[in-house]
Amino acid sequence: MTATPLSILDLATVEANGTIADAFHHSVEMAQLAETGGYTRIWYAEHHNMPSIASSATSVLIAHIAAHTQTIGLGSGGVMLPNHSPLVIAEQFGTLAELHPGRIHLGLGRAPGTDGATFRALRRTYEAADNFPADVAELQKYLSDELPRKAVNAYPGRGTRVPITILGSSLFGASLAAQYGLPYSFASHFAPQALKSAIQHYRSHYVPSEAHPEPYASAGVNVAAADTDAEAEALFARTEVNRVRQFLSRGREEELNFDEASQLVDTPAGREIRGMMQYTAIGGPTRVREELEAFAKFADVDELVTVHAAPTRAEQLESVRLTAQA
């Protein structure tokens, strides 16, 4: 492993012609492999109305993975808080924390994690995102030891002090995390543009808190690891095509197949999608280790959130294994 702690973002991806049940089975395998490989934790992201991503019910998936692992940290990367009431999230993650003490982490994002029509189906309003700072503060109180009189409390939840991380891809999340004295994680695995400015802003404006006297920053980075550098480069080339296929299949009655997506990788839309993977460590174990170490130094972060986005779950697992081996 690199000197920088590594975690994993697992989207419970559904393979082409695969099933959601298969995706959950592979997520258990990935968590068990990560646990033995020394990864710090695994994050699961809330996305909706995306047939290739099965991690929408984040807390439920975390409960399933926790029941099949022993020690590895498990968290939301993240819960899209505008989709929920703070009380409900406090109860869900308070329940998880009581069942699995010391292992549960709560990452919070402001985006809806979906399209407009699905956001409306969630029975939320766009104004909910404007309440994000207040909702984070409310959620912190529910998870604290406070017991205010004549007030609502979260049971389970109260006193669990589930660690909270603010997620973001802009200066907004960096500013909020700094103001609240919370860890911050930047989504550079798909939104690379503002990485440096966001981390710099977070560190320079950080207000120490009791739980976090020092700033703690992490950043997402894609990984395509294989036995050799040449095999890894070929794997990443297929990964790019698969990413284009997934994105450009949205809204279609039938998903694009690999050959159809291959014809679109050099279109303006294809180049934009591929550009989202600007920060990717590609290679055999030695080169991947070197590139991850270089990225951690470049980004100035304390933890790397690795995203193993290979087209098949077997290749994802192998990438996870080889990165740990490095």
Side-chain angles (χ1 to χ4, degrees):
M1 303 274 274
T2 67
T4 305
L6 298 184
S7 57
I8 295 173
L9 173 63
D10 180 13
L11 300 178
T13 51
V14 182
E15 292 178 297
N17 302 316
T19 68
I20 290 175
D22 291 336
F24 292 148
H25 174 74
H26 286 301
S27 288
V28 170
E29 285 188 307
M30 180 176 287
Q32 292 172 339
L33 178 61
E35 187 170 70
T36 58
Y39 287 85
T40 300
R41 50 194 162 192
I42 304 180
W43 303 96
Y44 301 93
E46 177 187 344
H47 292 284
H48 300 282
N49 197 29
M50 297 182 184
S52 61
I53 295 178
S55 55
S56 56
T58 313
S59 59
V60 180
L61 181 56
I62 290 173
H64 178 65
I65 301 297
H68 289 82
T69 52
Q70 300 297 321
T71 58
I72 193 166
L74 301 168
S76 60
V79 160
M80 301 296 104
L81 195 54
N83 297 343
H84 312 276
S85 76
L87 176 61
V88 168
I89 297 303
E91 291 170 341
Q92 290 178 0
F93 280 79
T95 298
L96 290 169
E98 294 286 3
L99 291 170
H100 307 282
R103 297 181 59 195
I104 305 302
H105 305 266
L106 178 52
L108 301 173
R110 186 173 66 120
T114 188
D115 57 86
T118 308
F119 188 69
R120 290 189 293 274
L122 289 165
R123 299 298 190 268
R124 308 302 287 172
T125 65
Y126 285 106
E127 291 75 18
D130 297 334
N131 296 327
F132 183 66
D135 285 348
V136 172
E138 182 180 347
L139 180 53
Q140 285 183 294
K141 288 183 178 180
Y142 287 139
L143 296 172
S144 73
D145 294 320
E146 292 184 23
L147 185 58
R149 295 180 180 179
K150 298 181 180 179
V152 176
N153 284 279
Y155 300 108
R158 179 178 173 269
T160 57
R161 295 180 175 269
V162 177
I164 291 176
T165 296
I166 300 297
L167 314 182
S169 57
S170 69
L171 292 183
F172 180 91
S175 296
L176 182 66
Q179 177 186 347
Y180 281 19
L182 291 171
Y184 176 61
S185 187
F186 190 88
S188 41
H189 60 290
F190 74 86
Q193 292 83 2
L195 168 63
K196 291 286 287 184
S197 58
I199 297 298
Q200 289 172 357
H201 181 89
Y202 169 69
R203 291 195 181 281
S204 62
H205 291 82
Y206 189 78
V207 178
S209 62
E210 180 182 352
H212 305 283
E214 301 292 334
Y216 188 90
S218 60
V221 57
N222 299 286
V223 179
D227 286 324
T228 68
D229 292 350
E231 289 175 316
E233 289 167 1
L235 173 64
F236 181 65
R238 289 192 296 107
T239 300
E240 285 188 302
V241 175
N242 192 56
R243 178 67 66 89
V244 170
R245 180 190 68 80
Q246 291 174 331
F247 272 76
L248 297 186
S249 290
R250 293 178 184 175
R252 294 173 177 260
E253 290 186 8
E254 293 186 9
E255 290 190 356
L256 296 169
N257 60 40
F258 192 87
D259 290 337
E260 291 170 333
S262 297
Q263 305 302 312
L264 301 173
V265 292
D266 287 322
T267 63
R271 288 194 294 270
E272 182 179 354
I273 294 166
R274 290 161 57 202
M276 296 165 66
M277 302 184 75
Q278 174 182 341
Y279 296 125
T280 303
I282 307 166
T286 299
R287 187 167 127 189
V288 160
R289 182 186 69 245
E290 292 171 350
E291 292 193 359
L292 288 176
E293 289 174 342
F295 176 74
K297 184 177 181 180
F298 165 79
D300 188 23
V301 293
D302 305 290
E303 178 182 332
L304 294 179
V305 182
T306 61
V307 184
H308 302 264
T312 70
R313 294 292 275 180
E315 290 169 323
Q316 291 174 20
L317 290 171
E318 184 66 359
S319 184
V320 167
R321 184 185 70 80
L322 289 170
T323 302
Q325 187 182 85

